[in-house]
Amino acid sequence: MLPEGQNDFELIERCLAGEVPAFDTLVQKYQQDVYRLAYRMTLSADDAKDLAQGNVSASVSCLQEVVHADSYLGWTSGMVNTSGRDISPRVRARC
């Protein structure tokens, strides 16, 4: 269950202050959206899972960049799009 009344930027500030549960909340809030985007790009459940997981790992070290983004979802979607470009050619090659 996600906490009520906390916007993304409040959660990000808490993450940057070292609160792991705040990061877990962000991941839980958007994990389905990130996976769906990754799946649309890769057309593979395994590749989408890997791409989404890699996005979570990368976002840990880059979270301070989100403060300047419009939203966490927009920022993380951009990361998936960028990372997915590396996977998409492999998907096309399999078809």
Side-chain angles (χ1 to χ4, degrees):
M1 188 82 176
L2 297 174
E4 294 294 322
Q6 292 186 8
N7 69 41
D8 292 354
F9 294 108
E10 291 170 338
L11 289 169
I12 291 166
E13 290 296 322
R14 290 179 46 214
C15 293
L16 293 172
E19 292 184 38
V20 174
F23 183 74
D24 293 341
T25 299
L26 271 176
V27 170
Q28 184 180 14
K29 184 175 179 181
Y30 293 112
Q31 68 185 359
Q32 289 295 345
D33 293 324
V34 169
Y35 174 81
R36 279 192 291 270
L37 174 60
Y39 184 81
R40 283 194 309 265
M41 293 183 73
T42 64
L43 303 176
S44 162
D46 289 337
D47 285 341
K49 183 178 175 183
D50 290 346
L51 185 57
Q53 181 59 44
N55 181 61
V56 168
S57 298
S59 68
V60 170
S61 61
C62 301
L63 200 54
Q64 67 278 0
E65 294 175 18
V66 182
V67 175
H68 303 291
D70 291 334
S71 71
Y72 180 79
L73 181 58
W75 176 77
T76 197
S77 295
M79 286 182 64
V80 169
N81 277 321
T82 300
S83 300
R85 289 184 194 129
D86 295 333
I87 293 175
S88 292
R90 288 187 292 165
V91 171
R92 284 192 293 271
R94 284 188 292 211
C95 296

